[in-house]
mmCIF file with all atom_site columns, all heavy atoms in Angstrom:
data_model
loop_
_atom_site.group_PDB
_atom_site.id
_atom_site.type_symbol
_atom_site.label_atom_id
_atom_site.label_alt_id
_atom_site.label_comp_id
_atom_site.label_asym_id
_atom_site.label_entity_id
_atom_site.label_seq_id
_atom_site.pdbx_PDB_ins_code
_atom_site.Cartn_x
_atom_site.Cartn_y
_atom_site.Cartn_z
_atom_site.occupancy
_atom_site.B_iso_or_equiv
_atom_site.pdbx_formal_charge
_atom_site.auth_seq_id
_atom_site.auth_comp_id
_atom_site.auth_asym_id
_atom_site.auth_atom_id
_atom_site.pdbx_PDB_model_num
ATOM 1   N N   . TYR A 1 79  ? -4.015  5.797   -21.868 1.00 93.00 ? 755 TYR A N   1
ATOM 2   C CA  . TYR A 1 79  ? -4.487  4.411   -21.842 1.00 93.00 ? 755 TYR A CA  1
ATOM 3   C C   . TYR A 1 79  ? -5.839  4.331   -22.526 1.00 93.00 ? 755 TYR A C   1
ATOM 4   O O   . TYR A 1 79  ? -6.762  5.055   -22.184 1.00 93.00 ? 755 TYR A O   1
ATOM 5   C CB  . TYR A 1 79  ? -4.598  4.055   -20.360 1.00 93.00 ? 755 TYR A CB  1
ATOM 6   C CG  . TYR A 1 79  ? -5.054  2.676   -19.962 1.00 93.00 ? 755 TYR A CG  1
ATOM 7   C CD1 . TYR A 1 79  ? -4.830  1.552   -20.748 1.00 93.00 ? 755 TYR A CD1 1
ATOM 8   C CD2 . TYR A 1 79  ? -5.680  2.504   -18.721 1.00 93.00 ? 755 TYR A CD2 1
ATOM 9   C CE1 . TYR A 1 79  ? -5.219  0.296   -20.304 1.00 93.00 ? 755 TYR A CE1 1
ATOM 10  C CE2 . TYR A 1 79  ? -6.068  1.255   -18.267 1.00 93.00 ? 755 TYR A CE2 1
ATOM 11  C CZ  . TYR A 1 79  ? -5.842  0.144   -19.069 1.00 93.00 ? 755 TYR A CZ  1
ATOM 12  O OH  . TYR A 1 79  ? -6.229  -1.093  -18.615 1.00 93.00 ? 755 TYR A OH  1
ATOM 13  N N   . TRP A 1 105 ? -13.752 -0.978  -16.973 1.00 96.00 ? 781 TRP A N   1
ATOM 14  C CA  . TRP A 1 105 ? -12.647 -1.652  -17.649 1.00 96.00 ? 781 TRP A CA  1
ATOM 15  C C   . TRP A 1 105 ? -13.082 -3.076  -17.929 1.00 96.00 ? 781 TRP A C   1
ATOM 16  O O   . TRP A 1 105 ? -13.812 -3.680  -17.130 1.00 96.00 ? 781 TRP A O   1
ATOM 17  C CB  . TRP A 1 105 ? -11.391 -1.688  -16.764 1.00 96.00 ? 781 TRP A CB  1
ATOM 18  C CG  . TRP A 1 105 ? -10.320 -2.587  -17.331 1.00 96.00 ? 781 TRP A CG  1
ATOM 19  C CD1 . TRP A 1 105 ? -9.378  -2.253  -18.259 1.00 96.00 ? 781 TRP A CD1 1
ATOM 20  C CD2 . TRP A 1 105 ? -10.125 -3.983  -17.051 1.00 96.00 ? 781 TRP A CD2 1
ATOM 21  N NE1 . TRP A 1 105 ? -8.611  -3.355  -18.574 1.00 96.00 ? 781 TRP A NE1 1
ATOM 22  C CE2 . TRP A 1 105 ? -9.052  -4.428  -17.845 1.00 96.00 ? 781 TRP A CE2 1
ATOM 23  C CE3 . TRP A 1 105 ? -10.769 -4.897  -16.227 1.00 96.00 ? 781 TRP A CE3 1
ATOM 24  C CZ2 . TRP A 1 105 ? -8.589  -5.745  -17.833 1.00 96.00 ? 781 TRP A CZ2 1
ATOM 25  C CZ3 . TRP A 1 105 ? -10.324 -6.219  -16.204 1.00 96.00 ? 781 TRP A CZ3 1
ATOM 26  C CH2 . TRP A 1 105 ? -9.239  -6.632  -16.991 1.00 96.00 ? 781 TRP A CH2 1
ATOM 27  N N   . ALA A 1 106 ? -12.698 -3.617  -19.073 1.00 96.00 ? 782 ALA A N   1
ATOM 28  C CA  . ALA A 1 106 ? -12.939 -5.026  -19.369 1.00 96.00 ? 782 ALA A CA  1
ATOM 29  C C   . ALA A 1 106 ? -11.720 -5.547  -20.120 1.00 96.00 ? 782 ALA A C   1
ATOM 30  O O   . ALA A 1 106 ? -10.973 -4.769  -20.720 1.00 96.00 ? 782 ALA A O   1
ATOM 31  C CB  . ALA A 1 106 ? -14.196 -5.179  -20.219 1.00 96.00 ? 782 ALA A CB  1
ATOM 32  N N   . PRO A 1 107 ? -11.480 -6.862  -20.088 1.00 96.00 ? 783 PRO A N   1
ATOM 33  C CA  . PRO A 1 107 ? -10.288 -7.375  -20.782 1.00 96.00 ? 783 PRO A CA  1
ATOM 34  C C   . PRO A 1 107 ? -10.357 -7.049  -22.266 1.00 96.00 ? 783 PRO A C   1
ATOM 35  O O   . PRO A 1 107 ? -11.422 -7.174  -22.875 1.00 96.00 ? 783 PRO A O   1
ATOM 36  C CB  . PRO A 1 107 ? -10.352 -8.891  -20.562 1.00 96.00 ? 783 PRO A CB  1
ATOM 37  C CG  . PRO A 1 107 ? -11.598 -9.186  -19.831 1.00 96.00 ? 783 PRO A CG  1
ATOM 38  C CD  . PRO A 1 107 ? -12.279 -7.917  -19.460 1.00 96.00 ? 783 PRO A CD  1
ATOM 39  N N   . PRO A 1 108 ? -9.242  -6.610  -22.828 1.00 92.00 ? 784 PRO A N   1
ATOM 40  C CA  . PRO A 1 108 ? -9.243  -6.214  -24.250 1.00 92.00 ? 784 PRO A CA  1
ATOM 41  C C   . PRO A 1 108 ? -9.243  -7.427  -25.172 1.00 92.00 ? 784 PRO A C   1
ATOM 42  O O   . PRO A 1 108 ? -8.238  -7.744  -25.797 1.00 92.00 ? 784 PRO A O   1
ATOM 43  C CB  . PRO A 1 108 ? -7.958  -5.390  -24.386 1.00 92.00 ? 784 PRO A CB  1
ATOM 44  C CG  . PRO A 1 108 ? -7.074  -5.871  -23.276 1.00 92.00 ? 784 PRO A CG  1
ATOM 45  C CD  . PRO A 1 108 ? -7.943  -6.399  -22.187 1.00 92.00 ? 784 PRO A CD  1
ATOM 46  N N   . VAL A 1 109 ? -10.378 -8.135  -25.236 1.00 92.00 ? 785 VAL A N   1
ATOM 47  C CA  . VAL A 1 109 ? -10.484 -9.282  -26.152 1.00 92.00 ? 785 VAL A CA  1
ATOM 48  C C   . VAL A 1 109 ? -11.541 -8.975  -27.196 1.00 92.00 ? 785 VAL A C   1
ATOM 49  O O   . VAL A 1 109 ? -12.480 -8.230  -26.932 1.00 92.00 ? 785 VAL A O   1
ATOM 50  C CB  . VAL A 1 109 ? -10.861 -10.586 -25.386 1.00 92.00 ? 785 VAL A CB  1
ATOM 51  C CG1 . VAL A 1 109 ? -9.687  -11.120 -24.608 1.00 92.00 ? 785 VAL A CG1 1
ATOM 52  C CG2 . VAL A 1 109 ? -12.049 -10.377 -24.467 1.00 92.00 ? 785 VAL A CG2 1
ATOM 53  N N   . TYR A 1 118 ? -15.434 -13.641 -18.160 1.00 97.00 ? 794 TYR A N   1
ATOM 54  C CA  . TYR A 1 118 ? -14.319 -13.248 -17.288 1.00 97.00 ? 794 TYR A CA  1
ATOM 55  C C   . TYR A 1 118 ? -14.855 -12.408 -16.123 1.00 97.00 ? 794 TYR A C   1
ATOM 56  O O   . TYR A 1 118 ? -14.552 -12.663 -14.963 1.00 97.00 ? 794 TYR A O   1
ATOM 57  C CB  . TYR A 1 118 ? -13.285 -12.448 -18.098 1.00 97.00 ? 794 TYR A CB  1
ATOM 58  C CG  . TYR A 1 118 ? -12.276 -11.708 -17.235 1.00 97.00 ? 794 TYR A CG  1
ATOM 59  C CD1 . TYR A 1 118 ? -11.085 -12.302 -16.853 1.00 97.00 ? 794 TYR A CD1 1
ATOM 60  C CD2 . TYR A 1 118 ? -12.537 -10.412 -16.782 1.00 97.00 ? 794 TYR A CD2 1
ATOM 61  C CE1 . TYR A 1 118 ? -10.173 -11.633 -16.036 1.00 97.00 ? 794 TYR A CE1 1
ATOM 62  C CE2 . TYR A 1 118 ? -11.645 -9.736  -15.971 1.00 97.00 ? 794 TYR A CE2 1
ATOM 63  C CZ  . TYR A 1 118 ? -10.459 -10.354 -15.596 1.00 97.00 ? 794 TYR A CZ  1
ATOM 64  O OH  . TYR A 1 118 ? -9.566  -9.678  -14.786 1.00 97.00 ? 794 TYR A OH  1
ATOM 65  N N   . GLY A 1 180 ? 3.905   -6.843  -17.670 1.00 98.00 ? 856 GLY A N   1
ATOM 66  C CA  . GLY A 1 180 ? 3.074   -7.517  -18.664 1.00 98.00 ? 856 GLY A CA  1
ATOM 67  C C   . GLY A 1 180 ? 1.602   -7.242  -18.417 1.00 98.00 ? 856 GLY A C   1
ATOM 68  O O   . GLY A 1 180 ? 1.221   -6.701  -17.381 1.00 98.00 ? 856 GLY A O   1
ATOM 69  N N   . VAL A 1 181 ? 0.767   -7.628  -19.392 1.00 97.00 ? 857 VAL A N   1
ATOM 70  C CA  . VAL A 1 181 ? -0.683  -7.518  -19.239 1.00 97.00 ? 857 VAL A CA  1
ATOM 71  C C   . VAL A 1 181 ? -1.264  -8.880  -19.557 1.00 97.00 ? 857 VAL A C   1
ATOM 72  O O   . VAL A 1 181 ? -0.902  -9.491  -20.566 1.00 97.00 ? 857 VAL A O   1
ATOM 73  C CB  . VAL A 1 181 ? -1.278  -6.463  -20.205 1.00 97.00 ? 857 VAL A CB  1
ATOM 74  C CG1 . VAL A 1 181 ? -2.792  -6.380  -20.040 1.00 97.00 ? 857 VAL A CG1 1
ATOM 75  C CG2 . VAL A 1 181 ? -0.649  -5.105  -19.956 1.00 97.00 ? 857 VAL A CG2 1
ATOM 76  N N   . GLY A 1 182 ? -2.120  -9.366  -18.663 1.00 97.00 ? 858 GLY A N   1
ATOM 77  C CA  . GLY A 1 182 ? -2.690  -10.703 -18.851 1.00 97.00 ? 858 GLY A CA  1
ATOM 78  C C   . GLY A 1 182 ? -3.527  -10.815 -20.118 1.00 97.00 ? 858 GLY A C   1
ATOM 79  O O   . GLY A 1 182 ? -4.068  -9.831  -20.624 1.00 97.00 ? 858 GLY A O   1
ATOM 80  N N   . ASP A 1 183 ? -3.622  -12.042 -20.638 1.00 95.00 ? 859 ASP A N   1
ATOM 81  C CA  . ASP A 1 183 ? -4.461  -12.358 -21.802 1.00 95.00 ? 859 ASP A CA  1
ATOM 82  C C   . ASP A 1 183 ? -5.591  -13.246 -21.325 1.00 95.00 ? 859 ASP A C   1
ATOM 83  O O   . ASP A 1 183 ? -5.337  -14.198 -20.589 1.00 95.00 ? 859 ASP A O   1
ATOM 84  C CB  . ASP A 1 183 ? -3.683  -13.249 -22.783 1.00 95.00 ? 859 ASP A CB  1
ATOM 85  C CG  . ASP A 1 183 ? -2.701  -12.468 -23.594 1.00 95.00 ? 859 ASP A CG  1
ATOM 86  O OD1 . ASP A 1 183 ? -2.990  -11.311 -23.894 1.00 95.00 ? 859 ASP A OD1 1
ATOM 87  O OD2 . ASP A 1 183 ? -1.647  -13.040 -23.928 1.00 95.00 ? 859 ASP A OD2 1
ATOM 88  N N   . VAL A 1 184 ? -6.804  -12.966 -21.770 1.00 96.00 ? 860 VAL A N   1
ATOM 89  C CA  . VAL A 1 184 ? -7.917  -13.853 -21.431 1.00 96.00 ? 860 VAL A CA  1
ATOM 90  C C   . VAL A 1 184 ? -8.190  -14.753 -22.636 1.00 96.00 ? 860 VAL A C   1
ATOM 91  O O   . VAL A 1 184 ? -8.433  -14.265 -23.739 1.00 96.00 ? 860 VAL A O   1
ATOM 92  C CB  . VAL A 1 184 ? -9.180  -13.026 -21.076 1.00 96.00 ? 860 VAL A CB  1
ATOM 93  C CG1 . VAL A 1 184 ? -10.371 -13.946 -20.839 1.00 96.00 ? 860 VAL A CG1 1
ATOM 94  C CG2 . VAL A 1 184 ? -8.912  -12.191 -19.840 1.00 96.00 ? 860 VAL A CG2 1
ATOM 95  N N   . VAL A 1 242 ? -6.776  -16.752 -17.470 1.00 97.00 ? 918 VAL A N   1
ATOM 96  C CA  . VAL A 1 242 ? -5.837  -15.652 -17.732 1.00 97.00 ? 918 VAL A CA  1
ATOM 97  C C   . VAL A 1 242 ? -4.451  -16.254 -17.937 1.00 97.00 ? 918 VAL A C   1
ATOM 98  O O   . VAL A 1 242 ? -4.018  -17.128 -17.168 1.00 97.00 ? 918 VAL A O   1
ATOM 99  C CB  . VAL A 1 242 ? -5.813  -14.644 -16.553 1.00 97.00 ? 918 VAL A CB  1
ATOM 100 C CG1 . VAL A 1 242 ? -4.900  -13.464 -16.896 1.00 97.00 ? 918 VAL A CG1 1
ATOM 101 C CG2 . VAL A 1 242 ? -7.210  -14.143 -16.229 1.00 97.00 ? 918 VAL A CG2 1
ATOM 102 N N   . TYR A 1 243 ? -3.783  -15.793 -18.971 1.00 97.00 ? 919 TYR A N   1
ATOM 103 C CA  . TYR A 1 243 ? -2.412  -16.204 -19.262 1.00 97.00 ? 919 TYR A CA  1
ATOM 104 C C   . TYR A 1 243 ? -1.504  -14.986 -19.111 1.00 97.00 ? 919 TYR A C   1
ATOM 105 O O   . TYR A 1 243 ? -1.936  -13.860 -19.346 1.00 97.00 ? 919 TYR A O   1
ATOM 106 C CB  . TYR A 1 243 ? -2.303  -16.723 -20.700 1.00 97.00 ? 919 TYR A CB  1
ATOM 107 C CG  . TYR A 1 243 ? -2.950  -18.081 -20.894 1.00 97.00 ? 919 TYR A CG  1
ATOM 108 C CD1 . TYR A 1 243 ? -4.315  -18.195 -21.130 1.00 97.00 ? 919 TYR A CD1 1
ATOM 109 C CD2 . TYR A 1 243 ? -2.185  -19.241 -20.815 1.00 97.00 ? 919 TYR A CD2 1
ATOM 110 C CE1 . TYR A 1 243 ? -4.916  -19.436 -21.287 1.00 97.00 ? 919 TYR A CE1 1
ATOM 111 C CE2 . TYR A 1 243 ? -2.771  -20.484 -20.971 1.00 97.00 ? 919 TYR A CE2 1
ATOM 112 C CZ  . TYR A 1 243 ? -4.134  -20.581 -21.208 1.00 97.00 ? 919 TYR A CZ  1
ATOM 113 O OH  . TYR A 1 243 ? -4.716  -21.802 -21.354 1.00 97.00 ? 919 TYR A OH  1
ATOM 114 N N   . PRO A 1 255 ? -9.663  -16.199 -13.395 1.00 98.00 ? 931 PRO A N   1
ATOM 115 C CA  . PRO A 1 255 ? -9.694  -14.726 -13.319 1.00 98.00 ? 931 PRO A CA  1
ATOM 116 C C   . PRO A 1 255 ? -9.559  -14.197 -11.892 1.00 98.00 ? 931 PRO A C   1
ATOM 117 O O   . PRO A 1 255 ? -8.818  -13.253 -11.640 1.00 98.00 ? 931 PRO A O   1
ATOM 118 C CB  . PRO A 1 255 ? -11.054 -14.380 -13.939 1.00 98.00 ? 931 PRO A CB  1
ATOM 119 C CG  . PRO A 1 255 ? -11.235 -15.452 -14.972 1.00 98.00 ? 931 PRO A CG  1
ATOM 120 C CD  . PRO A 1 255 ? -10.683 -16.709 -14.343 1.00 98.00 ? 931 PRO A CD  1
ATOM 121 N N   . PHE A 1 258 ? -5.836  -14.294 -10.395 1.00 98.00 ? 934 PHE A N   1
ATOM 122 C CA  . PHE A 1 258 ? -4.738  -13.539 -11.008 1.00 98.00 ? 934 PHE A CA  1
ATOM 123 C C   . PHE A 1 258 ? -4.410  -12.374 -10.076 1.00 98.00 ? 934 PHE A C   1
ATOM 124 O O   . PHE A 1 258 ? -4.858  -11.239 -10.274 1.00 98.00 ? 934 PHE A O   1
ATOM 125 C CB  . PHE A 1 258 ? -5.163  -13.058 -12.404 1.00 98.00 ? 934 PHE A CB  1
ATOM 126 C CG  . PHE A 1 258 ? -4.008  -12.692 -13.304 1.00 98.00 ? 934 PHE A CG  1
ATOM 127 C CD1 . PHE A 1 258 ? -3.059  -13.640 -13.682 1.00 98.00 ? 934 PHE A CD1 1
ATOM 128 C CD2 . PHE A 1 258 ? -3.869  -11.398 -13.790 1.00 98.00 ? 934 PHE A CD2 1
ATOM 129 C CE1 . PHE A 1 258 ? -1.999  -13.309 -14.515 1.00 98.00 ? 934 PHE A CE1 1
ATOM 130 C CE2 . PHE A 1 258 ? -2.817  -11.055 -14.626 1.00 98.00 ? 934 PHE A CE2 1
ATOM 131 C CZ  . PHE A 1 258 ? -1.876  -12.017 -14.989 1.00 98.00 ? 934 PHE A CZ  1
ATOM 132 N N   . LEU A 1 266 ? -6.460  -8.540  -6.479  1.00 98.00 ? 942 LEU A N   1
ATOM 133 C CA  . LEU A 1 266 ? -6.562  -8.725  -7.928  1.00 98.00 ? 942 LEU A CA  1
ATOM 134 C C   . LEU A 1 266 ? -5.603  -7.769  -8.611  1.00 98.00 ? 942 LEU A C   1
ATOM 135 O O   . LEU A 1 266 ? -5.539  -6.591  -8.243  1.00 98.00 ? 942 LEU A O   1
ATOM 136 C CB  . LEU A 1 266 ? -7.963  -8.347  -8.399  1.00 98.00 ? 942 LEU A CB  1
ATOM 137 C CG  . LEU A 1 266 ? -9.076  -9.362  -8.369  1.00 98.00 ? 942 LEU A CG  1
ATOM 138 C CD1 . LEU A 1 266 ? -10.315 -8.751  -9.024  1.00 98.00 ? 942 LEU A CD1 1
ATOM 139 C CD2 . LEU A 1 266 ? -8.686  -10.645 -9.088  1.00 98.00 ? 942 LEU A CD2 1
ATOM 140 N N   . LEU A 1 267 ? -4.894  -8.241  -9.614  1.00 98.00 ? 943 LEU A N   1
ATOM 141 C CA  . LEU A 1 267 ? -3.984  -7.345  -10.345 1.00 98.00 ? 943 LEU A CA  1
ATOM 142 C C   . LEU A 1 267 ? -4.843  -6.402  -11.175 1.00 98.00 ? 943 LEU A C   1
ATOM 143 O O   . LEU A 1 267 ? -5.582  -6.836  -12.058 1.00 98.00 ? 943 LEU A O   1
ATOM 144 C CB  . LEU A 1 267 ? -3.027  -8.164  -11.215 1.00 98.00 ? 943 LEU A CB  1
ATOM 145 C CG  . LEU A 1 267 ? -2.029  -8.961  -10.360 1.00 98.00 ? 943 LEU A CG  1
ATOM 146 C CD1 . LEU A 1 267 ? -1.355  -10.055 -11.182 1.00 98.00 ? 943 LEU A CD1 1
ATOM 147 C CD2 . LEU A 1 267 ? -0.984  -8.035  -9.752  1.00 98.00 ? 943 LEU A CD2 1
ATOM 148 N N   . VAL A 1 268 ? -4.757  -5.119  -10.886 1.00 98.00 ? 944 VAL A N   1
ATOM 149 C CA  . VAL A 1 268 ? -5.668  -4.148  -11.488 1.00 98.00 ? 944 VAL A CA  1
ATOM 150 C C   . VAL A 1 268 ? -5.491  -4.142  -13.010 1.00 98.00 ? 944 VAL A C   1
ATOM 151 O O   . VAL A 1 268 ? -4.361  -4.106  -13.522 1.00 98.00 ? 944 VAL A O   1
ATOM 152 C CB  . VAL A 1 268 ? -5.471  -2.747  -10.860 1.00 98.00 ? 944 VAL A CB  1
ATOM 153 C CG1 . VAL A 1 268 ? -4.139  -2.110  -11.238 1.00 98.00 ? 944 VAL A CG1 1
ATOM 154 C CG2 . VAL A 1 268 ? -6.632  -1.829  -11.220 1.00 98.00 ? 944 VAL A CG2 1
ATOM 155 N N   . ASP A 1 269 ? -6.593  -4.266  -13.733 1.00 98.00 ? 945 ASP A N   1
ATOM 156 C CA  . ASP A 1 269 ? -6.597  -4.310  -15.207 1.00 98.00 ? 945 ASP A CA  1
ATOM 157 C C   . ASP A 1 269 ? -5.640  -5.367  -15.757 1.00 98.00 ? 945 ASP A C   1
ATOM 158 O O   . ASP A 1 269 ? -5.098  -5.231  -16.861 1.00 98.00 ? 945 ASP A O   1
ATOM 159 C CB  . ASP A 1 269 ? -6.263  -2.934  -15.804 1.00 98.00 ? 945 ASP A CB  1
ATOM 160 C CG  . ASP A 1 269 ? -7.339  -1.898  -15.471 1.00 98.00 ? 945 ASP A CG  1
ATOM 161 O OD1 . ASP A 1 269 ? -8.243  -2.216  -14.671 1.00 98.00 ? 945 ASP A OD1 1
ATOM 162 O OD2 . ASP A 1 269 ? -7.269  -0.782  -15.991 1.00 98.00 ? 945 ASP A OD2 1
ATOM 163 N N   . MET A 1 270 ? -5.391  -6.411  -14.965 1.00 98.00 ? 946 MET A N   1
ATOM 164 C CA  . MET A 1 270 ? -4.507  -7.532  -15.333 1.00 98.00 ? 946 MET A CA  1
ATOM 165 C C   . MET A 1 270 ? -3.058  -7.101  -15.583 1.00 98.00 ? 946 MET A C   1
ATOM 166 O O   . MET A 1 270 ? -2.307  -7.795  -16.256 1.00 98.00 ? 946 MET A O   1
ATOM 167 C CB  . MET A 1 270 ? -5.050  -8.303  -16.546 1.00 98.00 ? 946 MET A CB  1
ATOM 168 C CG  . MET A 1 270 ? -6.409  -8.927  -16.332 1.00 98.00 ? 946 MET A CG  1
ATOM 169 S SD  . MET A 1 270 ? -6.899  -10.114 -17.612 1.00 98.00 ? 946 MET A SD  1
ATOM 170 C CE  . MET A 1 270 ? -6.752  -9.142  -19.095 1.00 98.00 ? 946 MET A CE  1
ATOM 171 N N   . ILE A 1 271 ? -2.676  -5.940  -15.024 1.00 98.00 ? 947 ILE A N   1
ATOM 172 C CA  . ILE A 1 271 ? -1.293  -5.463  -15.200 1.00 98.00 ? 947 ILE A CA  1
ATOM 173 C C   . ILE A 1 271 ? -0.423  -6.143  -14.140 1.00 98.00 ? 947 ILE A C   1
ATOM 174 O O   . ILE A 1 271 ? -0.663  -5.984  -12.946 1.00 98.00 ? 947 ILE A O   1
ATOM 175 C CB  . ILE A 1 271 ? -1.227  -3.928  -15.061 1.00 98.00 ? 947 ILE A CB  1
ATOM 176 C CG1 . ILE A 1 271 ? -2.084  -3.266  -16.147 1.00 98.00 ? 947 ILE A CG1 1
ATOM 177 C CG2 . ILE A 1 271 ? 0.227   -3.443  -15.145 1.00 98.00 ? 947 ILE A CG2 1
ATOM 178 C CD1 . ILE A 1 271 ? -2.349  -1.778  -15.924 1.00 98.00 ? 947 ILE A CD1 1
ATOM 179 N N   . TYR A 1 272 ? 0.541   -6.937  -14.611 1.00 98.00 ? 948 TYR A N   1
ATOM 180 C CA  . TYR A 1 272 ? 1.342   -7.729  -13.677 1.00 98.00 ? 948 TYR A CA  1
ATOM 181 C C   . TYR A 1 272 ? 2.837   -7.462  -13.879 1.00 98.00 ? 948 TYR A C   1
ATOM 182 O O   . TYR A 1 272 ? 3.264   -6.913  -14.901 1.00 98.00 ? 948 TYR A O   1
ATOM 183 C CB  . TYR A 1 272 ? 1.060   -9.230  -13.872 1.00 98.00 ? 948 TYR A CB  1
ATOM 184 C CG  . TYR A 1 272 ? 1.588   -9.788  -15.185 1.00 98.00 ? 948 TYR A CG  1
ATOM 185 C CD1 . TYR A 1 272 ? 2.905   -10.272 -15.290 1.00 98.00 ? 948 TYR A CD1 1
ATOM 186 C CD2 . TYR A 1 272 ? 0.787   -9.843  -16.329 1.00 98.00 ? 948 TYR A CD2 1
ATOM 187 C CE1 . TYR A 1 272 ? 3.390   -10.771 -16.498 1.00 98.00 ? 948 TYR A CE1 1
ATOM 188 C CE2 . TYR A 1 272 ? 1.261   -10.337 -17.538 1.00 98.00 ? 948 TYR A CE2 1
ATOM 189 C CZ  . TYR A 1 272 ? 2.570   -10.807 -17.611 1.00 98.00 ? 948 TYR A CZ  1
ATOM 190 O OH  . TYR A 1 272 ? 3.053   -11.287 -18.805 1.00 98.00 ? 948 TYR A OH  1
#
Side-chain angles (χ1 to χ4, degrees):
Y755 180 29
W781 170 85
V785 286
Y794 166 90
V857 179
D859 282 327
V860 175
V918 184
Y919 288 84
F934 200 62
L942 274 186
L943 291 164
V944 69
D945 295 8
M946 299 192 305
I947 299 167
Y948 69 87

